[in-house]
């Protein structure tokens, strides 16, 4: 989490106070929501840095899971992502209505949520092997 705080501190000073991204940072939003705002405002360096940091944290956290199963952790990770997304997000709406992995993945891809897309792709691959 320290890495995410550092990334936000590095970028925040360059953002105008009236940007969605700056408001999300100032409100203490989660990294996925901030990254979604950054992506929607064309701040791809910030969005990419946040997604990379989230991926690294997720990889570190999931290394301790006993079965190593992406599918087994999918519901929990979707709930975590959902909690970080703004209500107007199509990805959030897809998660809320229990849409298929493919539909959630498409919405996430359109919104630039690359770490979620990667996780869903991995879950799809694992499911097809089973």
């Amino acid at each position: 989490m320290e890495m995410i705080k550092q990334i936000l501190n590095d970028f925040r000073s360059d953002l105008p106070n009236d940007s969605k991204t700056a408001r999300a940072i100032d409100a203490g939003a989660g990294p996925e929501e901030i990254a979604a705002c950054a992506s929607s405002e064309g701040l791809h360096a910030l969005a990419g840095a946040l997604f990379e940091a989230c991926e690294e944290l997720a990889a570190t956290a999931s290394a301790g899971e006993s079965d190593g199963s992406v599918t087994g952790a999918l519901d929990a990770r979707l709930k975590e992502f959902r909690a970080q997304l703004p209500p107007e997000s199509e990805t959030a709406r897809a998660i809320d209505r229990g849409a298929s992995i493919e539909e959630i993945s498409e919405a996430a891809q359109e919104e630039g949520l690359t770490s979620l897309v990667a996780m869903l792709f991995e879950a799809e691959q694992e499911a097809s092997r089973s």
Side-chain angles (χ1 to χ4, degrees):
M1 210 47 149
E2 189 60 40
M3 182 181 0
I4 292 174
K5 288 180 186 177
Q6 183 62 44
I7 292 168
L8 294 176
N9 285 336
D10 289 348
F11 280 90
R12 177 57 184 100
S13 62
D14 296 331
L15 297 173
N17 290 333
D18 62 340
S19 78
K20 271 186 1 181
T21 305
R23 289 192 305 264
I25 292 170
D26 294 345
E32 285 88 359
E33 181 179 347
I34 295 169
C37 291
S39 181
S40 73
E41 292 182 321
L43 304 169
H44 302 295
L46 173 56
L50 286 173
F51 283 125
E52 280 292 317
C54 288
E55 286 267 316
E56 197 169 305
L57 284 173
T60 303
S62 64
E65 291 179 12
S66 59
D67 66 357
S69 167
V70 174
T71 305
L74 184 60
D75 287 338
R77 290 292 292 146
L78 278 176
K79 286 178 185 174
E80 288 175 28
F81 267 96
R82 174 56 188 99
Q84 302 299 320
L85 295 171
E88 66 273 5
S89 161
E90 285 301 318
T91 304
R93 291 180 184 141
I95 293 169
D96 290 346
R97 72 174 174 276
S100 68
I101 290 176
E102 294 84 8
E103 187 178 340
I104 296 169
S105 183
E106 287 175 20
Q109 189 166 9
E110 287 178 19
E111 293 179 337
L113 303 171
T114 56
S115 61
L116 177 57
V117 172
M119 181 189 70
L120 292 172
F121 177 75
E122 203 173 322
E124 285 179 294
Q125 294 300 310
E126 186 177 293
S128 71
R129 287 190 297 264
S130 300

